[in-house]
Amino acid sequence: MCLVAVSKFHPAEAIMEAYAAGQRFFGENRPQELMAKAKVLPGDIKWHFIGHLQTNKLKMVLPYAAMVESVDSVHLLEAIDKWGVENGRVIDVLLELHIAAEETKQGFSQEEILPLLSRQWMGVRLRGLMGMATNTDDESQIRADFKKISDFKQLINRDFPDLEGFDQLSIGMSGDWPIALEYGATIVRVGTAIFGERVY
Ligand SMILES: *Cc1c(COP(=O)(O)O)cnc(C)c1O
């Protein structure tokens, strides 16, 4: 299991404190902020991009990120693939599945993801799924959301046996990561519980 410490809105000093304690995976959701931090912080940090990514900002993220967890459109996936080919890289990505009851959260539907899985990609490697549960205290809703994404990943692994390396499930945040582990999370993204409240 991989713990991504979500350091968005927190200063480099906070990251260095966690780094000194051995943490190496950090998550950021704004391209400019990720780039600025990556340039000054230790090179062995693995940055995960977890926010909405516009294709005109790829240059700020892809040179530095070990993984883009939040791919939420075909257009974005194709643009990352193209960047990877042009730059001689293969970028690890997760496809973000919309699982929350709220309309507002971004992400693919299951029907949108399926056709992407049998396409040939040269500049990206599809590593799995990412999802955000409904923002609620209702644990049964959170469990239903996590079950949906966990079941869908199992279906993909069964129906697309040639899809190599599709083994990651990124679910769980500060409020719900223990539940996410019960549903097979391989990555949890925890911010507030590590760094405290964010000041926007
Ligand atoms: C901010 C953020 C997190 C971390 O949220 P916390 O509740 O602070 O743990 C996780 N995932 C995504 C996509 C985020 O934007």
Side-chain angles (χ1 to χ4, degrees):
M1 206 274 301
C2 171
L3 167 65
V4 173
V6 177
S7 47
K8 62 190 187 194
F9 294 92
H10 292 287
E13 298 77 64
I15 295 174
M16 280 314 293
E17 230 177 283
Y19 180 90
Q23 179 65 26
R24 290 296 179 271
F25 292 84
F26 291 90
E28 292 285 339
N29 71 341
R30 295 185 302 177
Q32 186 83 49
E33 187 173 344
L34 183 147
M35 179 173 72
K37 286 174 173 170
K39 279 183 173 171
V40 299
L41 288 165
D44 62 341
I45 287 181
K46 307 273 188 248
W47 297 100
H48 282 214
F49 190 77
I50 61 169
H52 185 62
L53 184 54
Q54 290 171 300
T55 53
N56 63 351
K57 303 267 172 73
L58 294 187
K59 284 195 296 293
M60 293 181 189
V61 172
L62 300 184
Y64 310 102
M67 180 180 276
V68 178
E69 294 201 17
S70 45
V71 174
D72 57 359
S73 77
V74 180
H75 176 65
L76 175 60
L77 184 60
E78 288 174 343
I80 298 173
D81 185 56
K82 182 163 177 277
W83 190 95
V85 169
E86 285 171 1
N87 291 274
R89 294 265 315 276
V90 181
I91 311 287
D92 278 349
V93 301
L94 304 182
L95 302 175
E96 183 171 355
L97 179 69
H98 180 99
I99 50 172
E102 299 117 336
E103 284 291 318
T104 49
K105 290 196 175 129
Q106 63 235 26
F108 286 109
S109 67
Q110 299 191 4
E111 294 70 34
E112 289 169 325
I113 285 180
L114 291 173
L116 303 175
L117 303 175
S118 41
R119 277 175 62 172
Q120 289 299 319
W121 303 99
M122 305 296 288
V124 294
R125 180 163 39 225
L126 308 183
R127 295 300 312 276
L129 299 175
M130 184 272 241
M132 282 171 92
T134 312
N135 186 11
T136 176
D137 291 333
D138 177 3
E139 192 180 312
S140 65
Q141 176 69 54
I142 293 168
R143 285 182 179 278
D145 294 346
F146 286 161
K147 183 169 191 313
K148 196 183 298 174
I149 192 168
S150 177
D151 286 353
F152 187 52
K153 173 158 176 304
Q154 282 183 29
L155 178 144
I156 290 171
N157 289 144
R158 190 196 65 199
D159 291 352
F160 296 84
D162 296 338
L163 192 59
E164 267 175 52
F166 198 90
D167 50 16
Q168 299 297 314
L169 181 61
S170 177
I171 49 174
M173 306 176 19
S174 290
D176 54 21
W177 66 266
I179 305 174
L181 294 181
E182 291 181 44
Y183 290 85
T186 63
I187 300 173
V188 294
R189 311 175 308 270
V190 178
T192 314
I194 294 173
F195 295 109
E197 292 295 331
R198 289 177 285 274
V199 181
Y200 292 99

